[in-house]
Amino acid sequence: MSSKQIQAVRGMNDVLPDEVHRWECFEDTVRAWLHGYGYRGIRMPILERTELFVRSIGEVTDIVEKEMYTFVDQLNQESLALRPEGTASCVRAAIEHNLLYGGAQRLWYWGPMFRHERPQKGRYRQFYQVGVEALGFAGPDIDAEQVVMCARLWRELGLDGIRLELNSLGSSDARARYRARLVKFLEQHHGALDEDSKRRLHANPLRVLDSKHPQMQELIREAPRMSDDLDEASLRHFEALQASLHTAGVTHEINPRLVRGLDYYNGTVFEWVTDRLGAQGTVCAGGRYDGLVEQIGGKPTPACGFAMGVERLLALMQHGGGLPAPRAPDVYLVHQGELADRFAERVAENLRDARVAVLLHCGGGSFKSQMKKADASGARFAIIVGDDEAAAGDVSLKPLRELAEQMRVSVAEAADIIRNGVTDDA
Ligand code: ATP
Ligand code: MG
């Protein structure tokens, strides 16, 4: 009797072999794109001290209040958390290793993030983000660079219909002024607030604007606008950013209620949104976080960054049909006979020396059944080795994807033909 099956944790997905190739193509494009803008990779641990996220993301936020996987390490009673996002870790690492002594840094990372949310399409408990952070840059030029680079990535991935929403949260003084006005408005509509919003009304009123509660949407639309309270410097910064975007041909709309779900943002905030993924339409989000480095214990350092949701972008690529064909080996190596079996292993290694991808048949069976597997593998060629070939030290090469004759060639010739794709005049 078999034991009860063990299943994956809810909201945590396996990425199966058929999909992994798509992920890898996406990663390749992303890596080349980031290199093109001078961003350098950094890798942080998945576990951090809980305190890091509480201090940076903010105590009264969805993430810290109800989405974090937090536990106490039994060995030393330390409270640890699976990272819900990467910015705080990246900033911690930059401070801890004095990266900023070397001047401003353009950094990026990629990996799984964890949030205990209700799983649905485009919303998972383990999901992947590509995070991009520019530490030590104060001007609107870096904000513009980051927005323009996103627009380029969408083009390179063959994605269209992703619109840009922008807002400025202003300086902390401006936010304090706005906060007072917002609290007054929300108090006047206290009866219309949901439970979370009532709780946040005084602790963190800006979060009310980020509420996903359907009941709250109308009220949020009527709420006072941040833009009326913006300070001079933030206004100039925001206008310069918009002018750069205009020059670069990147269109945007201002969304005065865009506040982002994390407390560390100030000044510019932005989201890239599509209508093609239902409710989970934000594929990329970010902005300025000028106070965060100091908040985590570093010297005051202005900064700007963003994160993309990989699953949502891949779903959008699937939607648009811009998917790479699955990857197959170059050769399926068929062999039978005692001498042939040993020779085939050597042939496979020699071909790999010549950078040919070889799937060596394992498990025996007739030539006929092995050839069926060769066909199904998607390989462009079969190489057939019998005792005859083994004795002569050569192979039979058979193109599988076109009408061409099987030919008897040396291993070196086979490698040449496979790599150069020339089969007719060999
Ligand atoms: P949302 O409003 O959809 O909850 P968020 O504001 O919480 O998003 P961020 O913290 O800004 O998201 O993360 C950046 C991006 O990461 C999001 O725009 C989204 O594409 C992706 N993302 C966030 N949470 C999830 C999740 N639970 N599952 C899949 N992707 C996610
Ligand atoms: Mg969220």
Side-chain angles (χ1 to χ4, degrees):
M1 209 174 72
S2 64
S3 317
K4 190 167 179 289
Q5 215 180 328
I6 299 176
Q7 276 167 351
V9 176
R10 191 161 127 81
M12 310 218 171
N13 300 315
D14 301 305
V15 181
L16 300 179
D18 276 348
E19 284 171 78
V20 163
H21 179 54
R22 297 178 44 215
W23 281 67
E24 286 174 344
C25 288
F26 175 83
E27 289 167 33
D28 289 347
T29 305
V30 164
R31 249 184 266 282
W33 162 72
L34 286 158
H35 178 66
Y37 285 86
Y39 283 76
R40 297 190 303 150
I42 181 167
R43 297 178 187 196
M44 299 83 63
I46 284 169
L47 275 181
E48 295 274 2
R49 291 170 206 276
T50 307
E51 171 68 11
L52 175 68
F53 302 115
V54 175
R55 217 199 283 177
S56 56
I57 296 169
E59 207 145 3
V60 189
T61 56
D62 276 352
I63 295 179
V64 170
E65 277 186 338
K66 47 192 180 194
E67 295 175 0
M68 272 217 294
Y69 283 90
T70 308
F71 63 94
V72 176
D73 183 337
Q74 296 304 330
L75 292 180
N76 57 7
Q77 304 308 310
E78 211 172 19
S79 179
L80 302 178
L82 286 173
R83 63 181 185 195
E85 58 110 44
T87 303
S89 309
C90 180
V91 168
R92 180 207 42 76
I95 298 169
E96 194 166 332
H97 303 285
N98 297 320
L99 292 189
L100 295 164
Y101 286 153
Q105 296 283 330
R106 285 178 168 88
L107 302 171
W108 76 276
Y109 49 84
W110 133 288
M113 306 295 162
F114 303 84
R115 297 184 194 177
H116 202 286
E117 306 194 67
R118 189 169 70 77
Q120 50 198 296
K121 191 167 165 289
R123 194 177 289 288
Y124 311 105
R125 291 181 176 173
Q126 173 174 322
F127 61 98
Y128 284 74
Q129 280 185 343
V130 174
V132 178
E133 320 285 356
L135 310 179
F137 296 87
D141 47 358
I142 198 79
D143 308 25
E145 172 178 286
Q146 294 195 338
V147 170
V148 168
M149 70 192 274
C150 288
R152 173 184 292 276
L153 182 64
W154 313 150
R155 282 198 304 279
E156 291 186 357
L157 294 172
L159 299 174
D160 51 20
I162 308 183
R163 56 170 203 280
L164 172 63
E165 296 190 357
L166 274 187
N167 193 21
S168 175
L169 302 178
S171 64
S172 55
D173 283 353
R175 268 202 311 291
R177 278 198 301 278
Y178 174 65
R179 184 190 152 116
R181 234 162 32 96
L182 182 63
V183 168
K184 208 165 143 199
F185 168 85
L186 294 173
E187 276 171 344
Q188 282 161 359
H189 297 85
H190 197 267
L193 300 182
D194 68 325
E195 282 314 307
D196 269 347
S197 301
K198 276 182 188 149
R199 217 162 27 79
R200 288 172 181 186
L201 174 55
H202 294 286
N204 195 349
L206 256 64
R207 287 279 70 79
V208 173
L209 298 182
D210 195 47
S211 167
K212 303 270 188 302
H213 204 293
Q215 168 197 330
M216 292 293 299
Q217 298 314 309
E218 196 179 328
L219 192 64
I220 291 171
R221 266 195 301 279
E222 286 163 15
R225 291 165 180 234
M226 180 81 219
S227 45
D228 301 335
D229 288 296
L230 272 196
D231 52 293
E232 228 354 81
S234 298
L235 203 60
R236 271 204 311 277
H237 185 108
F238 198 41
E239 277 165 1
L241 164 62
Q242 293 183 64
S244 287
L245 296 185
H246 184 74
T247 309
V250 176
T251 53
H252 67 272
E253 50 203 90
I254 306 275
N255 176 355
R257 275 132 208 132
L258 185 62
V259 291
R260 312 283 306 104
L262 307 86
D263 280 352
Y264 53 63
Y265 287 106
N266 69 287
T268 311
V269 285
F270 62 87
E271 289 194 1
W272 290 92
V273 187
T274 173
D275 296 324
R276 295 181 191 160
L277 294 177
Q280 272 56 252
T282 304
V283 293
C284 175
R288 279 215 152 260
Y289 47 91
D290 294 329
L292 184 61
V293 178
E294 194 178 8
Q295 223 173 307
I296 295 181
K299 294 211 176 75
T301 307
C304 188
F306 62 91
M308 316 185 263
V310 175
E311 287 86 351
R312 292 185 193 179
L313 283 169
L314 285 170
L316 199 55
M317 285 167 75
Q318 195 148 35
H319 205 281
L323 290 180
R327 202 172 184 191
D330 299 315
V331 169
Y332 194 99
L333 210 168
V334 165
H335 53 97
Q336 199 189 46
E338 211 171 305
L339 200 59
D341 293 348
R342 246 166 299 129
F343 181 59
E345 288 165 6
R346 257 191 17 241
V347 169
E349 283 303 313
N350 289 343
L351 287 169
R352 291 172 190 134
D353 286 341
R355 299 285 163 246
V356 172
V358 184
L359 216 162
L360 175 67
H361 179 83
C362 287
S366 68
F367 269 127
K368 193 164 162 229
S369 72
Q370 291 189 35
M371 281 308 288
K372 269 196 192 145
K373 294 213 164 86
D375 262 325
S377 73
R380 283 187 298 129
F381 294 89
I383 282 184
I384 302 150
V385 173
D387 283 339
D388 218 24
E389 281 90 350
D394 58 19
V395 299
S396 294
L397 180 68
K398 183 174 164 51
L400 295 173
R401 309 288 149 209
E402 56 195 283
L403 280 173
E405 289 296 306
Q406 178 171 321
M407 57 204 127
R408 188 85 176 246
V409 290
S410 72
V411 176
E413 282 168 331
D416 239 18
I417 294 168
I418 293 161
R419 275 203 326 255
N420 302 324
V422 188
T423 55
D424 35 10
D425 58 0

